[in-house]
Amino acid sequence: MTSLRILLIITIVITLKSEINEGARILGIFPLPGKSHAILGEKIMKVLAQKGHQVDVISHFPMKKSYPNYNDLSLEGSSEIITNNLNYSMVKNVSVNSIKRLLEMTGDPVCALLNHTVFQNIIHNPPKDPPYDLVIVEYFTSYCYMAFGRLLNVPIIGVTASVLLEWHNDAVGNPNSLAFVPGGMTGFSTNMNFWERLQNTLFAKLITHDFNNQVESQKMFIDKYIGSDYPSIYDLTRELSLVLVNSHYSLNGIRPFTPGVVEIGGVHVQDNKEKLLPELQKWLDEAKHGFIYVSFGSMVRLETFPKKTLDIFYSSFKKLSPVRFLMKIAKKEELPPGLPDNVKTYHWLPQIQILKHKNVKGFVSHGGLLSTIESIYYAVPIIGFPLFGDQNFNMRNYEKRKIAVTLNYDSFTEKQLDEALNKILKNSEMRNNIEKLSKLYKDRPITPQETVSFWVEYVLRHGPVLRSPAVNLSWWQVELLDVYGFILLVLLLALFVILSLIRILIKCIFHSKSNSEAIRSKKNK
């Protein structure tokens, strides 16, 4: 009897454990042909694959090696890849903050990919054995992909590679809090004066209105390639069950979030123990006076910048020898002659392995969020040359925290660069500040990777229970304009009644007084 009971208990435990560990089938959609955006998506989907979920990932960057439970559905070759192909003139063009230009680059052209075979196969013949349980999609500017939640009749989760931008809040019912939350492209800090708060408010309202109006044109791609029985883009975005945001309060400041918005900043910092090239490893190990890493990200080609700009880099780097400089340069042959002896260039570098090296002293960067998060994680001071997007905000934020120096990429001088380099090499306060911030950034109850897996699985278990009720209200209801209007109306009516009563009372008093005088006059006669 005892043996049977033990066997029964073992059977129940095994059954329960198999149910708990039964993985879901998840579709990840990351259609923007930008490497940095794809990296974040890939890292998130790998976390879920490690948890036993079967993930299908649509992107332009399929992995070179197979990964357990991870299946690439490749868009490779369908669009021009934004990797090592932004030259100086393109940077100048992109740096202008224009919603129209942003959507022309990352909105309609990306939505046109719905006609790709990969998407059409899912649209017309979605897998049924097993079917998809969840969709995870990049939440940036290509809102047409929000239709996949309704198409597959499953919850949908959005992922942002930056802080929540101005146009992201309304769709998920998140408070704007413009008094102390600066817009992602303003460059303001959380401590804004009156004029900055005024600019922040006007900019946020205008840019959100502009974006919401223009993004509705993406509905035509849904009508053409998926079906015409779908609601507006505005309504589709309000079906998000959760948004995972690549931010953290220690870096980006205190922000109010509904439970449906979860910060996962640092989820991409996953050390795969990749080995450096032997010659590079030796060169860095022998940098007894330290080295500084120089990279403007996966998209921008630093070698295309004006010769006078590159000459300033050359001159400043040479003066600091024997300190060494390691530069990510896609096409070394396009650099002007005169590269100093203490500088090495490579067309691609494993950034995490560089930033965690014992001899690294600083990072010269474009200020991208993924790169600067890695720099802060490994406590490496930053010199930033923000080019476009949220990079200006990132660098101004870090500069106020005294962990970075910001320079204008188009007008900096050799003296400014010399001072910045000497500051990150010799200023102990800056290094102490970034070491403290790094500790604060890492001090969490669970890792960013565990945060992702918990909340994704939470949505799988419970559905869209985290969705804010604010998404069901109009903007003027969320702002309580109807309530304030009603209160104002009541006050005006009350004031009108009071004034009317006073007027009547005054008339009565004067009328009574007139009657009294008339009676007195008659008596006197």
Side-chain angles (χ1 to χ4, degrees), residues 267-334:
V267 70
H268 72 288
V269 186
Q270 301 173 23
D271 186 359
N272 59 6
K273 309 297 182 183
E274 186 176 356
K275 299 292 184 183
L276 296 174
L277 293 172
E279 62 174 40
L280 176 58
Q281 183 73 58
K282 182 174 183 295
W283 191 74
L284 297 180
D285 290 344
E286 292 175 351
K288 302 305 180 185
H289 296 272
F291 72 89
I292 291 175
Y293 174 50
V294 184
S295 172
F296 276 28
S298 61
M299 297 189 292
V300 177
R301 291 176 53 211
L302 183 56
E303 62 270 28
T304 66
F305 278 50
K307 184 178 183 300
K308 66 175 184 178
T309 300
L310 296 172
D311 284 342
I312 291 175
F313 280 120
Y314 285 9
S315 180
S316 291
F317 293 172
K318 185 175 182 179
K319 281 185 282 187
L320 284 174
S321 183
V323 174
R324 295 180 174 181
F325 290 83
L326 176 63
M327 300 180 71
K328 182 225 164 227
I329 298 293
K331 295 182 179 180
K332 182 180 178 180
E333 64 273 14
E334 293 187 13

Side-chain angles (χ1 to χ4, degrees), residues 2 194 239 278 345 353 357 369:
T2 306
F194 170 78
E239 295 181 357
T345 68
Q353 306 306 324
H357 194 282
L369 190 57

Side-chain angles (χ1 to χ4, degrees), residues 129-378:
D129 187 27
Y132 287 119
D133 301 294
L134 179 74
V135 173
I136 298 178
V137 62
E138 181 169 15
Y139 185 42
F140 183 46
T141 57
S142 308
Y143 281 15
C144 52
Y145 291 95
M146 300 295 168
F148 277 85
R150 182 170 289 217
L151 170 72
L152 301 171
N153 195 29
V154 296
I156 184 165
I157 292 175
V159 173
T160 72
S162 66
V163 297
L164 280 185
L165 297 171
E166 287 83 349
W167 55 85
H168 286 152
N169 283 302
D170 290 349
V172 292
N174 203 62
N176 285 295
S177 303
L178 296 170
F180 62 93
V181 176
M185 298 181 185
T186 62
F188 296 147
S189 69
T190 54
N191 298 316
M192 293 178 278
N193 60 36
F194 170 78
W195 295 112
E196 288 172 335
R197 283 186 284 115
L198 176 62
Q199 292 176 66
N200 191 51
T201 302
L202 293 175
F203 184 79
K205 296 298 182 184
L206 289 172
I207 201 172
T208 301
H209 181 265
D210 192 17
F211 180 88
N212 287 339
N213 280 344
Q214 295 196 46
V215 80
E216 279 298 333
S217 67
Q218 294 178 10
K219 178 66 164 56
M220 67 180 180
F221 296 100
I222 297 175
D223 294 341
K224 185 175 181 179
Y225 298 123
I226 301 179
S228 58
D229 55 341
Y230 284 81
S232 67
I233 295 291
Y234 179 90
D235 290 329
L236 282 174
T237 57
R238 276 150 180 74
E239 295 181 357
L240 283 165
S241 296
L242 177 72
V243 174
L244 302 173
V245 188
N246 187 33
S247 63
H248 190 255
Y249 73 89
S250 63
L251 304 186
N252 308 107
I254 304 299
R255 295 164 179 248
F257 292 128
T258 71
V261 178
V262 176
E263 291 190 302
I264 58 164
V267 70
H268 72 288
V269 186
Q270 301 173 23
D271 186 359
N272 59 6
K273 309 297 182 183
E274 186 176 356
K275 299 292 184 183
L276 296 174
L277 293 172
E279 62 174 40
L280 176 58
Q281 183 73 58
K282 182 174 183 295
W283 191 74
L284 297 180
D285 290 344
E286 292 175 351
K288 302 305 180 185
H289 296 272
F291 72 89
I292 291 175
Y293 174 50
V294 184
S295 172
F296 276 28
S298 61
M299 297 189 292
V300 177
R301 291 176 53 211
L302 183 56
E303 62 270 28
T304 66
F305 278 50
K307 184 178 183 300
K308 66 175 184 178
T309 300
L310 296 172
D311 284 342
I312 291 175
F313 280 120
Y314 285 9
S315 180
S316 291
F317 293 172
K318 185 175 182 179
K319 281 185 282 187
L320 284 174
S321 183
V323 174
R324 295 180 174 181
F325 290 83
L326 176 63
M327 300 180 71
K328 182 225 164 227
I329 298 293
K331 295 182 179 180
K332 182 180 178 180
E333 64 273 14
E334 293 187 13
L335 283 172
L339 191 71
D341 293 336
N342 61 330
V343 178
K344 262 191 181 297
T345 68
Y346 286 84
H347 76 280
W348 179 86
L349 290 162
Q351 190 156 282
I352 287 179
Q353 306 306 324
I354 302 297
L355 292 172
K356 66 180 289 191
H357 194 282
K358 63 180 181 178
N359 290 334
V360 67
K361 299 297 183 184
F363 182 18
V364 178
S365 169
H366 62 313
L369 190 57
L370 297 187
S371 291
T372 53
I373 283 176
E374 291 169 3
S375 193
I376 291 166
Y377 190 90
Y378 292 107

Side-chain angles (χ1 to χ4, degrees), residues 404-440:
V405 179
T406 301
L407 298 177
N408 188 311
Y409 76 93
D410 204 31
S411 61
F412 74 99
T413 64
E414 185 175 332
K415 180 182 178 182
Q416 288 174 327
L417 182 57
D418 288 345
E419 290 174 351
L421 289 168
N422 278 295
K423 190 171 184 179
I424 64 172
L425 285 170
K426 300 174 183 178
N427 189 311
S428 58
E429 181 188 12
M430 179 175 283
R431 188 161 295 277
N432 290 335
N433 288 340
I434 199 165
E435 286 174 356
K436 288 178 182 177
L437 184 57
S438 180
K439 289 178 182 177
L440 178 62

